[in-house]
Amino acid sequence: MTDNQLQITNNQLPMTLLQVQDLTVYYGMVQALNNISLVVNEGEIVALIGPNGAGKSTALKAICGLLKATEGEIKTGDVTFRGKSIKNVPPHDLVKKGISLVPEGRRVFPTMTVLENLEMGFYTQFSVDSSQLSDRLNKVFDLFPVLKQRRKQRAGTLSSGEQQMLAIGRALMLKPKLLLLDEPSLGLSPNYVEDVFEKIKEINKNGTTVLLVEQNARMALEYADRGYVFKIGEIALEDTGKNLLGNDEVRRSFLGE
Amino acid sequence: MIPQLIVNGIIAGSIYALVALGFTVIYRTVKFFHFAHGVVYTAGAYLAYTVAREQLSDVSGQVSIFVWIFAVFVGVVGAGALGVVINKLVYYPLRQRKASNLIFLLASFGVFIFIQNLIALIYGNQILTLRTGPIKEGHHFLGAVITDIQILILVVSGLLLVILWLFIQRTKLGKAMRAVSDDPIAASVVGINPEKTILASFVIGSVLAGAAGILISLETNIEPTMGFSVLLKGIIASIIGGIGSIPGAMFGGFFLGLAENLGIWKISAGWKDSIAFAILIIFLLVRPRGILGTK
Ligand SMILES: Nc1ncnc2c1ncn2[C@@H]1O[C@H](COP(=O)(O)OP(=O)(O)O)[C@@H](O)[C@H]1O
Ligand SMILES: [Mg+2]
């Protein structure tokens, strides 16, 4: 098959990158997700929205292997990435497969410098090829110039907006195929929220598929190609971002109209 | 008198600093008090003694340099291996079960007592002597006397402190250990295997404890219970310095050694331990985060 033909097939069928199938998750005796299924296609921005406690973070944690750390367990169902099951693959192995997570609450390394934080993002490749490291650093600095200014500063001294940029930058260091973000706008001042979403859009344009969880439903749906609406452990609605923004129920429940 | 107390304080301090540093390196990745660290120190001394013992019964009492090197090697490697075994057989299964910190502390005490009794069973409860040869006159230095062995203790512990500092700051594994210490979840998300990092911290921390045990046995007698008081001093030093802080552990060790020794200038030497605990209590009340600690 020539490159050209490959291009055509790619254009005709959306390539499924991530698939969550009939997933049921428990924390001890408490059910957090009931049989949910969702798909993320290559090149998309997909948003998971819904009220607090609906299970959005749980879905993200199930995808990236972090459930075990919080005593959650996948009871049934499967998660596949590029056709292969990644169910229960620990997070430190997932990044090698091309999945990076920006965790809820940013979680930068507070006592390490901005530069060291970014180096940690490159950890699994570290010392393999340092010219590649500086290349990646420059790409992240192009996207977030403020990080370059602050590179010698301890990450714990950054503002929450800058920490969010750093957490995203760190996740981009390995050039992931899929970027997962949990509540990127949480705790940010309103002008920073827009900034962060603009950056996410730019990252997506550069070829990274994005799956994000957001409480700020309006902002998320404005930027997302598609969205899923969570309601107490289930997916209540699924549509394009635009249609969901126009949906009466969504407007009433999440957009305060 | 004062110069001598300062010299004694710095030497005691360098041992405390090594123990505190090993304890801190481990604490940073596991976040509980690994009390059994004290018995790893004891084990290091006894392992080195075991290798050197054959030679000690010689008529001359002189141990050749090669035997010394081998004894140190066995003591240090054995201590590292003991740390790994404790982690693997006791702490790892507890982590898998998400045991509480209290359980870790109890288990750690249990391991301490078990291994201490094992050493007593094998070697007996009496004191043993590793140092050999005739006692040489020390060097006079600014009004104090310092022996060759004491100089060796200072040089070796100083080197170990510097090497550890560079390791933590510069190497890939050192950075991974800092990342896990800062935030284990974020560390796993960037691809760091937390168990590997914990393993590395047990190796490094236990090697430091073993080295401290061997160094002190060149200066004083050894006995199965020798690990307990030095463990307490190491923990006090870590808390004074700021729990979890590597420079804090170094600083706290020397601070404690000096304070204890200068403290007995006016009061009797029997109060040394009380001085350490008094300092601990003052810090806990006035500055619980320690000298260099954050938060
Ligand atoms: N570590 C945990 N242990 C027990 N229950 C949890 C844990 N984390 C989340 N839950 C529960 O699971 C449900 C879904 O939570 P979560 O996925 O965090 O929701 P969201 O991200 O949509 O706000 C909630 O009822 C929450 O209380
Ligand atoms: Mg959440």
Side-chain angles (χ1 to χ4, degrees):
Chain A
M1 205 194 307
T2 66
D3 273 3
N4 219 358
Q5 281 172 301
L6 191 71
Q7 202 74 50
I8 290 164
T9 35
N10 271 351
N11 281 345
Q12 284 170 344
L13 293 168
M15 283 269 291
T16 301
L17 194 60
L18 179 81
Q19 186 161 27
V20 172
Q21 240 167 347
D22 305 325
L23 199 66
T24 298
V25 172
Y26 278 79
Y27 292 103
M29 303 293 290
V30 181
Q31 187 175 32
L33 287 178
N34 180 20
N35 214 30
I36 67 150
S37 298
L38 59 89
V39 165
V40 179
N41 297 312
E42 201 155 352
E44 283 184 317
I45 298 181
V46 175
L48 311 182
I49 61 165
N52 214 340
K56 308 176 300 291
S57 295
T58 301
L60 220 51
K61 284 192 272 181
I63 292 166
C64 68
L66 270 177
L67 269 185
K68 213 181 142 206
T70 51
E71 286 169 75
E73 194 195 346
I74 297 179
K75 287 285 185 203
T76 59
D78 201 2
V79 182
T80 56
F81 180 67
R82 301 169 122 174
K84 290 203 191 81
S85 177
I86 54 164
K87 187 166 95 169
N88 294 330
V89 172
H92 58 265
D93 286 333
L94 267 191
V95 4
K96 295 171 208 153
K97 294 181 189 289
I99 302 178
S100 283
L101 170 74
V102 180
E104 189 168 3
R106 304 175 267 280
R107 288 178 172 269
V108 295
F109 301 116
T111 71
M112 302 175 85
T113 65
V114 167
L115 190 61
E116 284 173 333
N117 265 269
L118 294 173
E119 282 175 0
M120 292 324 288
F122 199 68
Y123 178 78
T124 53
Q125 301 287 307
F126 215 81
S127 78
V128 173
D129 183 354
S130 54
S131 71
Q132 210 180 12
L133 171 63
S134 56
D135 185 54
R136 292 290 166 78
L137 278 174
N138 285 332
K139 290 229 165 71
V140 170
F141 287 148
D142 284 347
L143 190 64
F144 302 117
V146 63
L147 295 182
K148 189 169 188 180
Q149 283 167 31
R150 302 237 188 276
R151 68 190 179 281
K152 298 218 170 98
Q153 220 168 302
R154 279 186 170 208
T157 65
L158 301 182
S159 73
S160 22
E162 290 164 347
Q163 286 190 11
Q164 187 60 264
M165 306 287 183
L166 179 56
I168 296 173
R170 183 180 69 187
L172 291 177
M173 285 298 289
L174 285 179
K175 246 185 157 179
K177 285 302 292 174
L178 176 64
L179 181 66
L180 309 172
L181 301 114
D182 197 347
E183 308 261 8
S185 80
L186 196 72
L188 303 190
S189 60
N191 40 342
Y192 251 130
V193 173
E194 179 134 19
D195 253 24
V196 165
F197 274 96
E198 279 299 321
K199 296 297 181 186
I200 292 171
K201 193 164 138 193
E202 198 175 333
I203 291 161
N204 178 250
K205 282 224 174 85
N206 293 338
T208 304
T209 305
V210 176
L211 172 63
L212 60 91
V213 162
E214 255 304 336
Q215 295 251 8
N216 189 334
R218 180 192 305 277
M219 197 57 103
L221 292 177
E222 269 172 23
Y223 282 84
D225 297 303
R226 290 187 307 113
Y228 292 87
V229 181
F230 278 60
K231 213 180 239 175
I232 29 179
E234 297 188 351
I235 291 177
L237 276 171
E238 167 197 350
D239 211 329
T240 61
K242 202 176 262 164
N243 287 351
L244 287 175
L245 271 175
N247 180 295
D248 279 345
E249 203 194 323
V250 172
R251 293 170 80 98
R252 242 178 296 117
S253 308
F254 303 115
L255 306 179
E257 289 175 11
Chain B
M1 178 121 182
I2 297 225
Q4 190 62 52
L5 291 177
I6 291 177
V7 166
N8 295 350
I10 291 173
I11 289 160
S14 64
I15 298 291
Y16 295 162
L18 281 181
V19 173
L21 199 58
F23 178 80
T24 296
V25 164
I26 294 170
Y27 173 83
R28 283 163 58 92
T29 56
V30 296
K31 297 283 153 71
F32 67 85
F33 277 19
H34 166 52
F35 288 126
H37 192 61
V39 84
V40 172
Y41 162 93
T42 314
Y46 272 85
L47 286 169
Y49 170 83
T50 308
V51 172
R53 176 168 53 185
E54 298 301 308
Q55 307 274 321
L56 287 172
S57 55
D58 257 16
V59 203
S60 69
Q62 289 286 1
V63 179
S64 84
I65 184 77
F66 298 106
V67 174
W68 271 125
I69 291 173
F70 186 56
V72 168
F73 177 80
V74 168
V76 163
V77 171
L82 181 60
V84 170
V85 168
I86 295 171
N87 178 51
K88 184 73 199 166
L89 292 187
V90 183
Y91 300 148
Y92 176 74
L94 290 177
R95 270 197 297 281
Q96 294 304 98
R97 269 179 245 162
K98 310 249 176 247
S100 68
N101 259 4
L102 181 64
I103 300 290
F104 277 103
L105 290 188
L106 292 175
S108 192
F109 255 125
V111 170
F112 186 113
I113 291 163
F114 175 78
I115 297 176
Q116 180 170 303
N117 283 323
L118 196 65
I119 292 172
L121 201 64
I122 298 171
Y123 296 89
N125 274 315
Q126 77 282 14
I127 55 167
L128 298 170
T129 305
L130 187 58
R131 64 201 159 120
T132 56
I135 295 184
K136 276 192 264 173
E137 167 80 32
H139 307 275
H140 290 267
F141 173 74
L142 295 176
V145 179
I146 186 164
T147 64
D148 287 343
I149 296 281
Q150 291 175 329
I151 293 173
L152 181 75
I153 291 177
L154 279 182
V155 170
V156 172
S157 45
L159 273 178
L160 287 175
L161 299 185
V162 171
I163 291 170
L164 185 92
W165 177 250
L166 291 176
F167 171 82
I168 294 279
Q169 286 301 317
R170 302 275 171 83
T171 66
K172 180 178 173 180
L173 185 55
K175 286 183 185 191
M177 288 168 70
R178 282 158 65 204
V180 170
S181 168
D182 265 10
D183 189 332
I185 297 224
S188 71
V189 161
V190 299
I192 297 169
N193 183 339
E195 280 301 330
K196 275 192 189 165
T197 318
I198 289 174
L199 180 72
S201 74
F202 271 94
V203 171
I204 293 165
S206 304
V207 160
L208 290 173
I214 297 169
L215 285 174
I216 200 70
S217 65
L218 299 176
E219 174 79 359
T220 64
N221 298 316
I222 65 175
E223 54 185 324
T225 54
M226 67 191 266
F228 189 66
S229 92
V230 89
L231 171 75
L232 289 182
K233 302 297 170 64
I235 293 177
I236 294 174
S238 309
I239 294 172
I240 293 176
I243 190 72
S245 159
I246 284 178
M250 298 185 190
F251 191 82
F254 285 105
F255 182 90
L256 186 63
L258 280 169
E260 268 187 359
N261 280 280
L262 286 173
I264 60 170
W265 182 35
K266 292 285 181 195
I267 41 181
S268 98
W271 289 91
K272 239 185 201 179
D273 288 351
S274 320
I275 293 171
F277 282 100
I279 293 173
L280 173 68
I281 290 165
I282 291 169
F283 265 91
L284 289 179
L285 290 175
V286 178
R287 196 177 162 89
R289 67 189 161 101
I291 299 168
L292 298 176
T294 47
K295 270 182 278 181

